[in-house]
Amino acid sequence: MQTGLSFLKSFGVTMRRFFESYVDDAKWFFKGGFGMRYSAEALPTRQSPTEGRGIFVVQYPKERLPLPERYRGFPMLLYDEDPAQLRCVACGMCARVCPPQCIWIERATDPETGKALRAPASFHIDIGICMSCGFCAEFCPFDAIKMDNNYEIALFQGGDAFLFDKEKLSRPTSHHAEIHPTAYAEELASKKK
Amino acid sequence: MTIQATHETLKAKFPDAIQDAHAPYTGLIVDRDHLVAVATALRDELGFRYLSSVTGVDYPAATDGLPPRFEAVYHFYQSEGGPLVLHVHADRENPTVPSLTPLFPSADFQEREAWDLMGIRFEGHPDLRRILLWEGYAGHPLQKGFQEVYYEADTKPFDSRWPEGAPVRAESRVPLGRNLRYPADFSMQGWCPTDDPWGYIAHDQVADLKDTAHPTDRVVLNMGPHHPSTHGVLRLLVTLEGETIKKLEPVVGFLHRCHDKIGERNTWLGNMPYTDRLDYVCSMSNNLGYAVAVEKLLDVKVPERAEYIRVIMAEFTRFINHIIDIGFTGNDLGIYFTAMLMGMEERELIVDLFERVSGSRMMCNYMRFGGVAHDMTADDVAYARQLAFERLPQAIDKVDQFFTNNEVFKQRSINVGVLPAETAIAYGCTGPLLRASGVPYDIRRAEPYSIYDSFDFDVVTRQNGDVYDRYMVRLEEMRQSVRILQQALNRLPDGPIMDGKPKGLIKVPAGEAYGRIEAPKGELGFYLVSEGGNNPYRYHVRSPSFVNLGALEEMCKGYLIADTVIILASVDITLGEVDR
Ligand code: SF4
Ligand code: SF4
């Protein structure tokens, strides 16, 4: 039967969504007035698979979704704070597994004996090439490189501005502990063993 | 008939023309002059009617007692079971192999690709032009000696990175403007692209084409190469008579980056994140396909929990792909964003899960050889259960209500873009496209990989092979995916997620493997050759979008120009995978 009624039913689906978004607005309004819908409190409910109704759009940058712990941004080099020292021993593992080969490591040498030291003299990552795959963090045997969760790294210049050196890449271990609490706890536990 | 029995039959039939491939290679080596006869016998007498993959391999040095050569490699399938592999040797000076396109139209695009990238000439191919690169391009990039623009060394890891790694940007080594190579006698001024002769015929010449039986002029129309609809950068050259399509040719390659060449430079694991970029909607499936292929060469046992997690991720991906494609079909119909956003919403929730589990929404890079990268936490499982048991079934119902009986949609899609079963098989179509034509071929059943044989689900088919049926197949496949997800989440066992400790650099035993999975769009195959080293010797992706696109002309001929867009949407391509 081609009566045109099914066509109306399709419209019904759209209309229901249309009204649901207003109902959702109203619901949050009665809970906490204007702006409540866009509060940090409402965000998890609005985005939840079971309770989310209405529009899913997040008002970035005013609103931000919380990042999951495993979120892979770009790599950072960790340093322990007391005494301040990079954890990296320049073993080269990360540079070898990096698929686009955007890590350059120069191993430090002892100026007197000329022997290789367990530290990098320089450490560069071309963030413009990095594909955020996370292999460097995954395969570093010393937990010295981890994935930061900063995704707002756009710059007005291109090219060399994205070539990050040791200083630009360094983050304190406490930052890692803060953004990766579970992973950090696991690392501590496995170290104690 | 088993593959072994088929080998024997063929050898008895063509005693002089066939020999076994030398271990660790599989299949048969067929004499060049007998290839067409052997393929005909396979198709007409032995039931191998589906030619899945055609590609080439370059062996510049003698190996295993075989001289330096090019090899064309074919993978044939029957309705069930593994591949029948044929190797055909061609000499290196003037590599020619007879074309199988007249027998198997599915070879058309793939032979053109092998000519384009590998330089093997297929004699008897009706239209052997470059397909991914442009006609004036110098060289064939997949030949072993070829060096690309930013060439540094044959294989990664590069020595210049450690221990004395001073950063050098590739752009400073090869400044812009010097990074294209032209053939020696090439001049930009005098150049007229020969790759689409009838696309550029001047208008007065088009009049010559006029079919006197019809009163209208023929018009050549260029759709694209910017998004003709919403699927990526694709150009369609269409010859119209009135509004009726007489001839159509997809022109592809705008997103080409020679994925195969990159893959051969990369380390084995290094390719994993690159597969994410093939069909960027379905990165989890791509990961799975590559892992399955490499695991055929490796001696690893994937733990049960990891297998379950893989299936869960692959089925969520199928759901995403189908709901988005249905949404885009609506978009292409002029429903605009309503339907697409309905799909996007569910997709957002699922990629949220991917992000929690793997760390990235689209470029998941999640599978490893012998397992997966991270475990699903209890929270992740709970979230996945919410999706699979509550949210997604409702979402399917919503799509169902919106489309299935909608008169406008039906009028635009029923009996449009009909692809008969025979044609679909001949063109090597796979996935929902094939099943909508009534062929119950699903690799999860025909050649089960991972643990798909332990799940209850139906292979969905429909009979008419039109746009509407493809929609119906996708809708029902989403239901089946949810069914698999529910079983997998209910039975998800505890245990390790990796076989042994994950390793960043591995060596893979010498040999060849063709691993394929039922990706949401069809058969995704990886043809790999290893020489026992850190890097693949040959890495080839047989992508469903690319091969399915070959049947587009068959589907569009005789329909109206306005139907092209919706037919294209119903084929469901991603250009990242077509152009590779
Ligand atoms: S793998 Fe870790 S320790 Fe080794 S060079 Fe890289 S960051 Fe340093
Ligand atoms: S995230 Fe991947 S691409 Fe980026 S530096 Fe690490 S290994 Fe290289």
Side-chain angles (χ1 to χ4, degrees):
Chain A
M1 274 248 293
Q2 300 282 312
T3 54
L5 288 179
S6 306
F7 178 52
L8 289 178
K9 201 162 137 194
S10 305
F11 259 137
V13 176
T14 316
M15 285 310 273
R16 200 165 80 218
R17 276 312 301 273
F18 182 70
F19 285 117
E20 264 175 4
S21 61
Y22 283 103
V23 171
D24 199 55
D25 272 356
K27 189 179 89 186
W28 291 110
F29 177 74
F30 287 121
K31 274 196 187 147
F34 285 117
M36 182 61 191
R37 185 168 193 275
Y38 301 101
S39 66
E41 210 181 313
L43 199 59
T45 314
R46 265 170 57 205
Q47 300 295 120
S48 113
T50 44
E51 291 160 77
R53 292 282 178 276
I55 299 167
F56 262 53
V57 176
V58 174
Q59 307 286 332
Y60 179 84
K62 267 194 286 177
E63 282 183 288
R64 279 157 202 268
L65 287 177
L67 290 171
E69 184 179 330
R70 281 184 198 151
Y71 174 77
R72 304 195 304 261
F74 293 92
M76 57 181 176
L77 283 174
L78 298 184
Y79 62 89
D80 292 324
E81 271 148 306
D82 197 23
Q85 196 189 3
L86 277 185
R87 285 180 165 192
C88 173
V89 300
C91 72
M93 194 56 188
C94 53
R96 271 176 290 163
V97 293
C98 174
Q101 294 284 290
C102 63
I103 306 182
W104 285 265
I105 303 166
E106 191 188 343
R107 198 165 46 190
T109 47
D110 192 315
E112 277 156 36
T113 60
K115 270 210 225 131
L117 293 175
R118 286 169 60 83
S122 75
F123 196 115
H124 287 90
I125 297 184
D126 191 335
I127 296 291
I129 296 177
C130 170
M131 67 202 296
S132 295
C133 68
F135 278 160
C136 48
E138 203 172 316
F139 296 107
C140 171
F142 301 93
D143 288 321
I145 190 166
K146 293 285 168 194
M147 298 306 278
D148 202 350
N149 65 0
N150 178 14
Y151 47 86
E152 292 164 318
I153 60 155
L155 296 174
F156 283 106
Q157 322 83 326
D160 287 345
F162 283 104
L163 191 65
F164 283 16
D165 60 8
K166 220 160 53 177
E167 283 64 48
K168 270 204 183 138
L169 290 166
S170 301
R171 298 279 180 287
T173 310
S174 56
H175 176 64
H176 165 53
E178 188 191 322
I179 61 172
H180 304 132
T182 329
Y184 185 66
E186 274 168 20
E187 280 159 28
L188 285 186
S190 73
K191 243 180 233 159
K192 264 188 209 130
K193 251 189 262 162
Chain B
M1 208 190 286
T2 63
I3 299 299
Q4 203 49 45
T6 318
H7 282 184
E8 296 312 320
T9 318
L10 281 176
K11 272 190 266 182
K13 218 168 140 54
F14 303 93
D16 310 328
I18 295 184
Q19 47 171 315
D20 281 317
H22 308 211
Y25 290 74
T26 50
L28 302 170
I29 301 175
V30 179
D31 179 55
R32 211 168 45 173
D33 303 329
H34 290 78
L35 174 67
V36 174
V38 172
T40 314
L42 276 174
R43 185 186 72 169
D44 298 340
E45 292 160 37
L46 299 166
F48 286 80
R49 287 163 62 209
Y50 166 41
L51 172 58
S52 150
S53 149
V54 182
T55 187
V57 191
D58 180 14
Y59 295 96
T63 48
D64 306 323
L66 295 167
R69 65 199 181 276
F70 280 104
E71 245 183 58
V73 184
Y74 302 84
H75 287 79
F76 293 87
Y77 286 91
Q78 49 192 346
S79 56
E80 216 165 53
L84 185 105
V85 191
L86 298 186
H87 300 259
V88 179
H89 294 177
D91 63 58
R92 276 194 56 88
E93 270 24 307
N94 180 25
T96 51
V97 171
S99 167
L100 289 188
T101 306
L103 286 174
F104 294 91
S106 61
D108 181 358
F109 276 24
Q110 300 194 63
E111 284 180 348
R112 280 178 66 188
E113 184 194 331
W115 152 244
D116 188 356
L117 302 183
M118 191 60 87
I120 302 175
R121 278 198 173 277
F122 291 87
E123 276 174 342
H125 189 289
D127 187 20
L128 193 68
R129 287 173 291 139
R130 287 184 182 267
I131 185 164
L132 295 171
L133 298 170
W134 50 291
E135 205 56 41
Y137 195 81
H140 302 278
L142 287 182
Q143 293 181 355
K144 281 293 165 191
F146 185 93
Q147 295 181 353
E148 65 275 18
V149 175
Y150 293 132
Y151 174 85
E152 179 163 351
D154 278 347
T155 52
K156 291 175 187 174
F158 299 143
D159 292 335
S160 64
R161 300 300 192 264
W162 177 85
E164 276 137 32
V168 180
R169 292 177 55 85
E171 289 86 340
S172 65
R173 277 194 291 121
V174 187
L176 223 62
R178 278 214 283 121
N179 58 2
L180 271 181
R181 253 168 303 184
Y182 301 100
D185 53 351
F186 182 81
S187 125
M188 222 5 156
Q189 272 71 36
W191 184 66
C192 165
T194 49
D195 62 335
D196 43 4
W198 53 272
Y200 282 99
I201 299 174
H203 201 72
D204 49 336
Q205 282 170 299
V206 177
D208 297 343
L209 287 170
K210 197 159 72 175
D211 181 348
T212 41
H214 292 273
T216 49
D217 280 350
R218 287 198 174 180
V219 175
V220 178
L221 183 75
N222 229 324
M223 292 176 76
H226 55 259
H227 291 206
S229 54
T230 35
H231 304 269
V233 188
L234 169 71
R235 172 172 165 221
L236 297 175
L237 268 175
V238 197
T239 302
L240 296 171
E241 212 170 71
E243 281 195 53
T244 313
I245 296 166
K246 286 285 159 186
K247 186 168 164 59
L248 177 145
E249 189 195 324
V251 182
V252 300
F254 297 97
L255 221 57
H256 182 64
R257 59 248 184 224
C258 214
H259 187 84
D260 290 17
K261 189 74 174 181
I262 298 174
E264 285 160 24
R265 300 260 189 256
N266 274 343
T267 58
W268 287 98
L269 189 63
N271 276 333
M272 191 59 84
Y274 281 85
T275 62
D276 291 334
R277 277 90 177 155
L278 282 171
D279 175 357
Y280 33 76
V281 182
C282 309
S283 68
M284 285 284 191
S285 304
N286 302 340
N287 282 185
L288 178 59
Y290 182 54
V292 164
V294 177
E295 279 159 11
K296 285 195 171 178
L297 289 169
L298 286 172
D299 182 27
V300 288
K301 174 93 192 65
V302 184
E304 221 193 342
R305 184 176 172 89
E307 291 281 26
Y308 271 88
I309 295 179
R310 283 179 173 193
V311 168
I312 290 169
M313 294 305 155
E315 291 308 316
F316 271 127
T317 306
R318 193 180 316 279
F319 189 96
I320 292 183
N321 181 75
H322 287 359
I323 203 161
I324 285 214
D325 182 58
I326 291 174
F328 274 123
T329 310
N331 206 350
D332 292 352
L333 267 179
I335 300 174
Y336 210 47
F337 273 105
T338 308
M340 204 195 76
L341 286 178
M342 267 162 67
M344 279 293 177
E345 202 170 81
E346 310 310 317
R347 171 179 186 258
E348 279 308 302
L349 293 170
I350 298 175
V351 294
D352 276 349
L353 174 72
F354 290 174
E355 192 180 26
R356 292 168 69 138
V357 177
S358 75
S360 184
R361 304 170 81 79
M362 283 177 83
M363 303 299 144
C364 300
N365 184 20
Y366 184 54
M367 315 276 171
R368 299 287 179 271
F369 312 132
V372 293
H374 307 281
D375 202 354
M376 280 176 89
T377 62
D379 282 350
D380 298 338
V381 177
Y383 183 84
R385 289 185 73 93
Q386 283 183 350
L387 287 175
F389 287 88
E390 295 174 48
R391 176 88 196 188
L392 301 187
Q394 285 177 26
I396 302 173
D397 289 343
K398 224 193 277 178
V399 173
D400 193 359
Q401 277 174 21
F402 190 79
F403 274 108
T404 308
N405 290 317
N406 185 320
E407 286 87 354
V408 179
F409 177 59
K410 278 174 143 176
Q411 294 235 326
R412 288 294 310 274
S413 63
I414 291 179
N415 281 328
V416 169
V418 176
L419 186 68
E422 286 303 315
T423 322
I425 298 171
Y427 274 87
C429 299
T430 41
L433 185 60
L434 178 68
R435 291 190 284 274
S437 297
V439 185
Y441 189 77
D442 185 323
I443 300 168
R444 292 173 293 173
R445 283 274 187 257
E447 194 195 358
Y449 53 93
S450 191
I451 44 165
Y452 273 107
D453 40 9
S454 68
F455 292 105
D456 278 335
F457 67 97
D458 300 330
V459 174
V460 186
T461 55
R462 298 274 295 186
Q463 296 310 318
N464 303 325
D466 56 12
V467 172
Y468 186 73
D469 275 7
R470 282 171 217 141
Y471 154 75
M472 287 301 275
V473 166
R474 294 208 171 91
L475 186 74
E476 191 52 36
E477 269 184 17
M478 292 200 292
R479 293 220 162 87
Q480 299 301 330
S481 284
V482 169
R483 219 171 126 195
I484 298 175
L485 281 170
Q486 293 180 345
Q487 294 169 48
L489 286 164
N490 277 338
R491 303 204 308 243
L492 182 68
D494 285 334
I497 51 153
M498 258 315 271
D499 180 22
K501 208 174 153 344
K503 282 202 232 42
L505 296 169
I506 53 163
K507 287 203 189 317
V508 170
E512 67 167 349
Y514 183 69
R516 56 175 198 156
I517 62 160
E518 182 69 32
K521 294 181 166 72
E523 172 180 334
L524 174 68
F526 287 87
Y527 175 69
L528 305 170
V529 177
S530 171
E531 290 207 315
N534 276 322
N535 314 77
Y537 182 75
R538 180 78 177 94
Y539 166 90
H540 173 71
V541 185
R542 184 264 188 222
S543 72
S545 300
F546 182 64
V547 181
N548 287 353
L549 196 62
L552 186 66
E553 180 172 15
E554 283 301 314
M555 282 180 256
C556 288
K557 257 193 210 162
Y559 296 99
L560 301 181
I561 180 72
D563 294 329
T564 332
V565 187
I566 182 171
I567 295 172
L568 184 65
S570 77
V571 180
D572 189 12
I573 56 165
T574 303
L575 270 300
E577 195 180 56
V578 173
D579 296 341
R580 281 160 297 143

